[in-house]
Amino acid sequence: MAAKTLIIDGKAVSAEEGATVLQVARDNNVAIPTLCHLEGVYDVGACRLCLVEVAGSTKLQPACTTKISEGMNIQTNSDRLRKYRRLTLELLFAERNHVCAVCVSNGHCELQTLAYSLGLDHVRYDYVFPKWKVDVTHRLFGMDHNRCILCTRCVRVCWHIEGAGTKNVAGRGATARIISDLDQPWGDSESCTECGKCVMACPTGALFHKGATAGEMEHDRDKLEFIVNAREKQQWLP
Amino acid sequence: MLPLLTREKNADRVLRHASGDKRFKILEVHMKKHQFRQDALIEVLHKAQELFGFLEDDLLLFIAAKLKLPPSRVFGVATFYHFFTLKPQGEHTCVVCLGTACYVKGADKIMAAIQEKYRIKAGETTPDNQLSLLTARCIGACGIAPAVTFDGHVAPKLTPEATLEKLNTLI
Amino acid sequence: MQLDDLKALVAKHIGARKKIVLRTCMSAGCMSSQADVIKRNLEAEVKAQGREAEVEVRRVGCMGFCGQGPLIGVDGLSAKEKLFEFVKPTDAPAIVASLQGAACDVQVGNPDHPFFARQMRIVRANGGIVDPERIEDYLAVGGYQALHQVLTEMQPSEVVDEITTSGLRGRGGAGFPTGLKWGTVAKSAGAKKYVVCNGDEGDPGAFMDRSVLESDPHIVLEGMAIAAYAVGADQGFLYVRAEYPLAISRLQTAIKQAKALGLLGGGIFESPFNFNIDIRIGAGAFVCGEETALMASVEGKRGTPRPRPPFPAESGLWGCPTLINNVETFANITAIINRGGAWYAGIGTEKSKGTKVFALTGKIKNNGLIEVPMGIPLRQIVEEMGGGAPAGGHIKSVQTGGPSGGCIPAAYLDTPVDYESLTKLGSIMGSGGMVVMDDATNMVEIAKFYMEFCMEESCGKCIPCRAGTAQMFHLLEKITQRRGTARDLAKLEELCDMVRHTSLCGLGQTAPNPVASTLKFFRSEYEALLQPDPFGPRPSVTTQSAEPVTL
Ligand SMILES: Cc1cc2nc3c(=O)[nH]c(=O)nc-3n(C[C@H](O)[C@H](O)[C@H](O)COP(=O)(O)O)c2cc1C
Ligand code: SF4
Ligand code: SF4
Ligand code: SF4
Ligand code: FES
Ligand code: FES
Ligand code: FES
């Protein structure tokens, strides 16, 4: 594969053909915020936080799904991008009920961390959405729909890494929600193998280990990467 | 939670339950025509709704089992598309077009008249199961707007009064 | 089948025709006023009056003047066709008797009316003339000759060149050059390729594609077959929305008939070219008109769009190169092959070639379908052809492009209708819906109407569209209910900008257009609804507001 040279935030870098803008940026210590991206599963380009400016194109491009090309000139952190990112997070906070203070993931939540780093400290939009359910029927795990941002990371790990297909999205638009099997209580699911990968993958406190109290829940992303390396890349298998 | 091994699997229960109903047979023939291909899911759901009127859980499980798809996928698809309904419908259906052409010609007033008279909202069925009120976003009959479909038949250039009269004769 | 066999078939079919033809529109519009009963009564009446030897009743597709329907056209009586309007089933005896000169008080239309006279029919050339359920009728007007010519006389690359020369641009909304798209798919490497026809037509207030599919299904099938030959595909999908049951059944009939004659299937015209078409039925999701969502739907999945690139031309259905075009785009192909790309390029404006079909609806006298050359001034369409607003009203604006478009105020009626001019006004050509609004229409309500549409049709995949359209709808509701302030209007404008630039697919990217365009031309209507702001002058985006901190 041929190497390509490109510019990210004014810095000349080179990378292998076929890499995404996000990979190249991270390899070069340029931080681009992401929410729906998860190492090891395919990207869907849904959260739009990783949008970057590419010189010569009027459209913003998602870093996670855009492949690099020779001579690309990329801007990852302009005022305009920061404004859009803040607005995106604001929309998320107004969409469902994220009360961080009592959340199991308080302090370990990607959404919260991003909000702090972008200087978002209040939401100017009206809260327009009703209260969602909390599903604690599963023996080991719980799901609080109020904290779900519909990034579909759980759906993708459950399908593509575990192969169970328990989780999916139902409905559409603002009524879209994550389901288990036929929209059953998670505890009644026949397909769930209780592997816990979805819980590891969740960026917020929407999926959690039962018994964790406020601030206790840490998502074990390293373990997930370990499994992915074994399954997909067959890294340390004989 | 019961141990998974002793509980009868949903799919087994559904297949047992389905064996007594001719409609499941017809549906299965239809799936066979599509070689049980998973990309035929939407065609199969159309056929299922045509046969059963609506898509109940056991029906979705049956389809999932036969097409070898996870139930969550079947449910996800069935709830994505407006055309599929998971609730039983009333004896009669009335679909008011709320597309732009019909809207600027007063479809909202037709809608309001029906809602007031029958005390149901869009997507609901009257308690006596006689009438289901639905909406559409353009049925392609804009040249004769506002249009309303009664039990599958399109009626042109309606007024609130004419619509209520039609419903009166229907029910 | 060889061309000569087809010609013999056509000669026989034409020989069996009768002197006088009563063309009865049996498209969805007229069918809603009992066109089927009318046809049955006419047939019985022809028999009763002993005229079977000279008179035949033919089922035809939409004639375009749907607002005056049910329509019956009479050929063979005099040099000019005669058109009966607002026909009722009970009119049958009088209409048949009138063929022998009897007086008849059924309203007669004027075929010289600008509504007809200003049209130029390429796509709809056969609409209202051929029987959509009989392939012989289509063959009789020269159908499938273009396909024969392409298969026997042209290289695939020559076909692509011809389309490129014609300057045809996609009629599905974006106006992408069709020849360029075909060329890309043709060049894409892959053993398996697909051709997809987008008949989702979700834009409310538009029914051009429906009428083409119902009135002349073979023109679309032939266009798809030519495209398949040009790009090297052997399988086609025709995606039609479930709201069009008549179009679906006529397409099924048409495909069956074409297969029976060897015009679809294996070894077409005894060449090595194979092409099959399957129908896929939508299930009520506007977003499935977006090409990547449509492909997901064809694959039996939730119709959610995905980022492009890769474009369908490189990686589409099941990862194979896929050509996707709109119904009307495909319906232009046979004419371009038959008469040449140069001929087609001679119609229209410099950058917008050919004709466009529009669905003229709303507060206008003459409702229906028109096909006009590109570049015609909007005023000619609404005032001359459409006859202006119904009694007592004044045209206030014309909405084009549906939920992705904008409202063009009456002051701009002299704008030529082409891709660039409409875009310049903050609207788009779109698929061809033209909804006329008069001074009784409140523009903020219209903006809210479209926003509600986009909110309900959002697939929910990306945050800006899912949550942004919901917030914008909420703000518009607040404003229309006189609860909004200048601060809310500012938030609305901020979201317009953000949702447009950050959404994943065209639905979200264009959802703010109706708001933006009404704000541009009718801002005072918004401002008249605003309430004094309890928090004083509006703050800029980054400063603190008096609202609660929630993180
Ligand atoms: C939300 C959305 C809805 C669309 N709906 C339609 C449609 O109903 N029919 C259509 O032909 N194209 C529709 N399109 C455009 C298609 O994505 C695509 O551009 C088109 O089918 C390409 O065909 P063309 O090049 O012949 O125009 C839609 C696009 C978007 C973003
Ligand atoms: S625990 Fe494992 S199998 Fe169960 S839903 Fe989560 S990822 Fe799927
Ligand atoms: S539950 Fe968690 S991982 Fe799943 S979609 Fe919601 S936020 Fe994402
Ligand atoms: S813009 Fe809207 S319709 Fe398009 S992908 Fe995003 S949520 Fe779905
Ligand atoms: S991380 Fe790229 S869009 Fe979400
Ligand atoms: S808008 Fe009602 S039929 Fe088109
Ligand atoms: S439907 Fe009869 S003229 Fe259009």
Side-chain angles (χ1 to χ4, degrees):
Chain A
M1 278 215 188
K4 305 266 172 197
T5 55
L6 59 155
I7 300 170
I8 298 186
D9 291 344
K11 193 169 113 189
V13 300
S14 76
E16 288 288 292
E17 181 178 358
T20 64
V21 172
L22 183 65
Q23 283 165 344
V24 179
R26 291 202 167 157
D27 287 348
N28 288 282
N29 294 322
V30 175
I32 297 176
T34 58
L35 271 180
C36 64
H37 170 79
L38 179 69
E39 280 308 321
V41 287
Y42 67 93
D43 281 302
V44 289
C47 74
R48 318 305 286 169
L49 277 165
C50 70
L51 289 178
V52 295
E53 290 170 2
V54 179
S57 161
T58 50
K59 284 209 164 146
L60 303 175
Q61 305 287 348
C64 63
T65 62
T66 305
K67 299 257 193 299
I68 56 161
S69 59
E70 183 62 38
M72 235 180 182
N73 185 350
I74 297 162
Q75 190 57 248
T76 72
N77 201 16
S78 64
D79 286 348
R80 175 169 173 233
L81 289 172
R82 272 200 305 277
K83 180 178 104 184
Y84 288 158
R85 285 171 190 156
R86 234 177 358 248
L87 268 168
T88 308
L89 292 178
E90 240 183 295
L91 287 175
L92 273 183
F93 279 106
E95 186 179 33
R96 297 200 177 181
N97 299 296
H98 298 270
V99 189
C100 301
V102 297
C103 177
V104 287
S105 285
N106 193 4
H108 314 290
C109 168
E110 291 180 38
L111 179 65
Q112 191 185 32
T113 312
L114 271 180
Y116 286 149
S117 71
L118 284 164
L120 179 75
D121 50 9
H122 65 280
V123 174
R124 297 160 303 134
Y125 293 101
D126 294 344
Y127 295 93
V128 283
F129 296 98
K131 256 204 149 346
W132 290 77
K133 283 183 305 195
V134 183
D135 180 350
V136 287
T137 55
H138 195 279
R139 192 166 64 94
L140 304 170
F141 319 119
M143 162 134 202
D144 183 349
H145 289 271
N146 293 297
R147 304 207 157 100
C148 175
I149 57 169
L150 292 170
C151 67
T152 69
R153 277 157 59 154
C154 55
V155 175
R156 282 173 283 153
V157 289
C158 185
W159 279 66
H160 292 270
I161 309 301
E162 181 57 12
T166 306
K167 300 266 177 218
N168 204 348
V169 188
R172 72 179 193 215
T175 62
R177 65 196 183 279
I178 300 294
I179 52 161
S180 306
D181 286 2
L182 273 196
D183 201 16
Q184 291 152 306
W186 195 355
D188 289 350
S189 165
E190 283 179 356
S191 62
C192 176
T193 61
E194 312 197 325
C195 71
K197 292 191 182 67
C198 54
V199 182
M200 296 177 214
C202 183
T204 71
L207 292 173
F208 53 86
H209 285 288
K210 272 184 155 173
T213 52
E216 256 184 26
M217 175 67 210
E218 269 187 80
H219 298 276
D220 198 346
R221 228 84 71 206
D222 293 343
K223 198 188 256 167
L224 200 59
E225 217 174 317
F226 188 79
I227 299 172
V228 169
N229 283 342
R231 293 242 169 120
E232 307 271 293
K233 303 181 188 157
Q234 312 232 318
Q235 266 185 6
W236 44 260
L237 291 179
Chain B
M1 200 179 86
L2 281 168
L4 280 174
L5 290 175
T6 57
R7 192 172 59 176
E8 185 183 16
K9 290 257 187 63
N10 273 332
D12 294 340
R13 180 179 50 76
V14 167
L15 293 179
R16 194 162 44 79
H17 157 93
S19 63
D21 190 330
K22 221 173 69 198
R23 294 175 296 178
F24 283 100
K25 271 261 148 7
I26 303 176
L27 186 61
E28 193 167 350
V29 170
H30 188 77
M31 289 195 248
K32 197 162 177 192
K33 206 178 90 194
H34 288 281
Q35 292 132 25
F36 296 99
R37 283 177 62 125
Q38 304 177 334
D39 53 48
L41 176 57
I42 295 173
E43 322 315 291
V44 172
L45 289 173
H46 271 298
K47 187 74 187 176
Q49 182 155 313
E50 186 191 314
L51 287 167
F52 291 81
F54 72 107
L55 304 172
E56 56 175 347
D57 280 2
D58 278 3
L59 184 53
L60 294 175
L61 278 173
F62 176 78
I63 294 171
K66 288 289 172 188
L67 296 184
K68 298 196 168 57
L69 282 168
S72 70
R73 163 78 166 276
V74 177
F75 193 87
V77 169
T79 52
F80 184 84
Y81 297 96
H82 275 334
F83 196 81
F84 299 129
T85 162
L86 276 61
K87 284 183 294 191
Q89 299 290 299
E91 199 71 13
H92 301 281
T93 56
C94 168
V95 188
V96 181
C97 175
L98 291 179
T100 325
C102 293
Y103 177 82
V104 300
K105 287 198 158 177
D108 50 336
K109 296 189 185 75
I110 294 180
M111 194 68 195
I114 304 175
Q115 286 179 335
E116 194 188 287
K117 165 135 189 232
Y118 292 91
R119 307 207 164 275
I120 45 172
K121 290 206 275 293
E124 291 180 353
T125 303
T126 49
D128 62 0
N129 242 340
Q130 279 295 309
L131 180 71
S132 290
L133 178 59
L134 304 166
T135 59
R137 293 294 193 177
C138 191
I139 51 171
C142 330
I144 48 159
V148 178
T149 313
F150 301 95
D151 287 341
H153 297 285
V154 183
K157 300 182 185 165
L158 285 171
T159 57
E161 297 75 35
T163 310
L164 292 182
E165 207 168 292
K166 279 238 176 208
L167 283 174
N168 247 339
T169 53
L170 204 65
I171 297 171
Chain C
M1 182 156 297
Q2 297 276 26
L3 193 61
D4 289 340
D5 304 333
L6 275 191
K7 284 193 172 146
L9 190 79
V10 168
K12 192 166 146 237
H13 176 69
I14 292 179
R17 278 195 179 150
K18 295 173 190 167
K19 191 172 143 247
I20 299 172
V21 183
L22 288 176
R23 286 179 288 115
T24 314
C25 170
M26 294 193 60
S27 224
C30 294
M31 285 290 265
S32 72
S33 303
Q34 296 185 291
D36 46 345
V37 185
I38 295 172
K39 175 161 178 277
R40 233 180 301 134
N41 288 3
L42 283 173
E43 280 163 345
E45 203 50 49
V46 168
K47 234 185 230 152
Q49 299 190 15
R51 308 285 322 269
E52 293 135 292
E54 297 131 291
V55 182
E56 72 174 70
V57 183
R58 185 191 300 167
R59 166 199 321 124
V60 296
C62 178
M63 307 196 197
F65 215 174
C66 319
Q68 312 285 108
L71 295 179
I72 292 179
V74 188
D75 298 330
L77 204 54
S78 55
K80 232 181 222 161
E81 70 155 329
K82 195 168 177 185
L83 193 67
F84 290 108
E85 301 177 336
F86 300 109
V87 178
K88 293 187 293 297
T90 48
D91 292 336
I95 289 177
V96 177
S98 80
L99 302 178
Q100 283 175 312
C104 162
D105 59 3
V106 181
Q107 183 172 318
V108 175
N110 169 16
D112 294 329
H113 188 285
F115 186 88
F116 296 109
R118 287 220 186 270
Q119 295 204 35
M120 176 168 190
R121 298 179 35 148
I122 297 174
V123 168
R124 294 206 359 93
N126 307 327
I129 292 174
V130 299
D131 179 341
E133 299 189 18
R134 299 194 63 182
I135 192 170
E136 298 86 350
D137 255 22
Y138 180 66
L139 292 169
V141 293
Y144 288 103
Q145 280 179 18
L147 179 61
H148 180 266
Q149 184 192 340
V150 161
L151 292 183
T152 52
E153 295 166 26
M154 292 170 87
Q155 291 300 314
S157 64
E158 290 174 322
V159 180
V160 174
D161 290 345
E162 202 63 43
I163 302 300
T164 309
T165 309
S166 75
L168 175 66
R169 291 169 67 173
R171 301 293 193 239
F176 190 82
T178 306
L180 193 58
K181 198 187 267 185
W182 288 26
T184 315
V185 181
K187 279 190 216 103
S188 287
K192 186 90 185 160
K193 292 182 190 176
Y194 295 97
V195 167
V196 178
C197 175
N198 187 343
D200 194 47
E201 194 163 56
D203 171 2
F207 55 104
M208 303 76 49
D209 295 350
R210 192 216 77 198
S211 108
V212 172
L213 295 173
E214 278 178 6
S215 315
D216 198 9
H218 287 286
I219 203 171
V220 181
L221 302 184
E222 189 180 356
M224 286 177 73
I226 293 171
Y229 174 74
V231 303
D234 65 357
Q235 174 66 45
F237 288 100
L238 225 161
Y239 190 92
V240 193
R241 59 201 296 249
E243 287 87 341
Y244 293 174
L246 190 59
I248 294 168
S249 81
R250 288 200 174 147
L251 282 166
Q252 281 163 341
T253 309
I255 291 175
K256 218 181 283 159
Q257 292 177 345
K259 268 197 185 144
L261 291 184
L263 300 168
L264 283 178
I268 298 173
F269 282 120
E270 296 178 359
S271 76
F273 174 64
N274 307 325
F275 186 55
N276 274 304
I277 299 180
D278 283 334
I279 297 177
R280 288 289 160 119
I281 300 168
F286 171 66
V287 69
C288 284
E290 198 279 339
E291 53 192 23
T292 59
L294 185 145
M295 293 189 309
S297 187
V298 169
E299 293 177 11
K301 299 182 185 148
R302 293 166 55 83
T304 52
R306 59 156 177 80
R308 298 171 306 175
F311 287 91
E314 300 146 16
S315 170
L317 281 174
W318 295 284
C320 302
T322 302
L323 172 73
I324 173 161
N325 275 129
N326 166 259
V327 169
E328 197 182 327
T329 314
F330 280 123
N332 272 298
I333 302 302
T334 51
I336 293 174
I337 297 296
N338 283 331
R339 306 173 73 168
W343 160 78
Y344 194 86
I347 306 165
T349 68
E350 194 199 330
K351 285 189 174 156
S352 305
K353 302 295 188 195
T355 58
K356 177 80 194 83
V357 184
F358 291 100
L360 198 54
T361 60
K363 301 285 186 67
I364 189 150
K365 268 197 206 124
N366 306 326
N367 281 277
L369 281 182
I370 51 164
E371 182 171 357
V372 289
M374 294 271 194
I376 183 175
L378 195 52
R379 188 181 301 284
Q380 265 186 29
I381 296 182
V382 294
E383 288 185 355
E384 290 177 33
M385 305 177 76
H394 284 103
I395 291 180
K396 179 171 178 180
S397 84
V398 180
Q399 210 282 344
T400 67
S404 314
C407 297
I408 300 168
Y412 290 83
L413 278 187
D414 290 314
T415 309
V417 177
D418 59 50
Y419 291 100
E420 278 71 27
S421 307
L422 294 185
T423 309
K424 227 180 276 163
L425 283 180
S427 187
I428 59 165
M429 172 86 80
S431 55
M434 240 182 215
V435 186
V436 180
M437 325 222 164
D438 67 3
D439 32 22
T441 322
N442 178 323
M443 301 315 279
V444 190
E445 287 288 343
I446 290 293
K448 189 181 95 178
F449 168 84
Y450 279 116
M451 194 50 74
E452 184 176 18
F453 179 89
C454 291
M455 174 178 80
E456 285 179 359
E457 296 299 330
S458 161
C459 82
K461 179 172 181 173
C462 72
I463 303 165
C465 168
R466 180 184 75 228
T469 52
Q471 280 291 352
M472 285 196 277
F473 174 71
H474 173 71
L475 287 165
L476 283 164
E477 201 165 50
K478 238 170 136 177
I479 293 171
T480 50
Q481 292 170 354
R482 296 183 179 274
R483 294 186 291 117
T485 62
R487 191 193 298 262
D488 291 313
L489 193 59
K491 281 188 208 164
L492 185 64
E493 293 192 89
E494 171 184 77
L495 281 180
C496 277
D497 172 63
M498 180 264 188
V499 172
R500 171 178 296 155
H501 290 108
T502 58
S503 289
L504 193 165
C505 85
L507 192 154
Q509 288 160 9
T510 57
N513 286 359
V515 178
S517 95
T518 46
L519 265 172
K520 179 169 165 190
F521 295 117
F522 303 96
R523 197 179 181 93
S524 58
E525 290 191 28
Y526 283 83
E527 281 166 350
L529 295 167
L530 296 184
Q531 304 303 303
D533 194 333
F535 299 114
R538 76 176 162 89
S540 72
V541 182
T542 44
T543 53
Q544 294 272 346
S545 81
E547 284 158 70
V549 174
T550 55
L551 291 190

